[in-house]
Amino acid sequence: RLAREELRHFEQVQKILRERGLVRRRVSASRYAAGLRAEVASQEPGRLVDQLIVGALIEARSCERFALLAPRLEPSLAGFYRGLLAAEARHFRQYLALAGRYRGDLSETRVAARVDALRDVENRLVTEPDDLVRFHSGPPAAVVRVAKTA
């Protein structure tokens, strides 16, 4: 159900882009995404658990970003983003529940420790300056550099 809803959101975004005459283009992974991916364990069951936790963290950050963005958009897009916000909050909980369900021989304590460790990495990635601004990037590095010199 979660995967179907994610795909539906992708299709809705595609439709909005088409209606606005915009073309989707492939972009490289952001520092944020690459940084989280680098922290995922290489062996099972830790790998799956980490991937699910990373998914949960991304959903939570998306929720935060949609909440900030929605009030600044035209009404039709604002409603769409508010809908995404609610879905992302639900997805956050679902991904964490899946991590607990598929933890294999990992203890609940170990899973909780991974949530804490990955949350710390995610927080660092989203607060450190970024040279390439994306939806899940940190503050723009150029702005941070200017602020430090002022």
Side-chain angles (χ1 to χ4, degrees):
R1 201 174 317 156
L2 174 61
R4 282 193 301 270
E5 187 172 29
E6 293 282 22
L7 182 57
R8 191 170 127 263
H9 292 157
F10 175 76
E11 291 166 344
Q12 288 172 316
V13 169
Q14 291 291 89
K15 182 178 182 231
I16 290 169
L17 289 173
R18 276 193 310 275
E19 289 171 353
R20 293 169 178 265
L22 301 170
V23 177
R24 182 177 61 90
R25 62 181 172 90
R26 185 174 300 274
V27 295
S28 60
S30 66
R31 182 184 61 85
Y32 174 87
L36 284 172
R37 192 175 323 122
E39 297 296 320
V40 171
S42 60
Q43 301 291 317
E44 296 299 350
R47 181 175 172 77
L48 176 59
V49 168
D50 281 2
Q51 287 174 326
L52 291 166
I53 293 168
V54 164
L57 294 170
I58 291 169
E59 297 292 307
R61 190 61 68 184
S62 296
C63 190
E64 171 198 71
R65 301 289 164 104
F66 290 146
L68 293 169
L69 188 58
R72 292 163 175 80
L73 298 173
E74 64 185 67
S76 65
L77 278 180
F80 175 68
Y81 274 82
R82 279 192 298 277
L84 288 178
L85 189 159
E88 301 298 273
R90 204 172 46 254
H91 295 170
F92 164 74
R93 292 187 299 275
Q94 290 172 323
Y95 276 115
L96 285 182
L98 288 169
R101 183 180 308 154
Y102 295 109
R103 65 184 167 88
D105 60 358
L106 296 176
S107 69
E108 287 182 29
T109 303
R110 176 72 177 129
V111 173
R114 287 304 292 158
V115 170
D116 290 344
L118 290 167
R119 185 189 61 228
D120 290 346
V121 169
E122 193 274 345
N123 185 60
R124 179 181 49 78
L125 289 167
V126 82
T127 56
E128 288 180 348
D130 241 312
D131 287 324
L132 182 60
V133 177
R134 300 274 179 80
F135 194 69
H136 288 92
S137 62
V143 172
V144 172
R145 282 191 289 270
V146 169
K148 285 183 179 179
T149 61

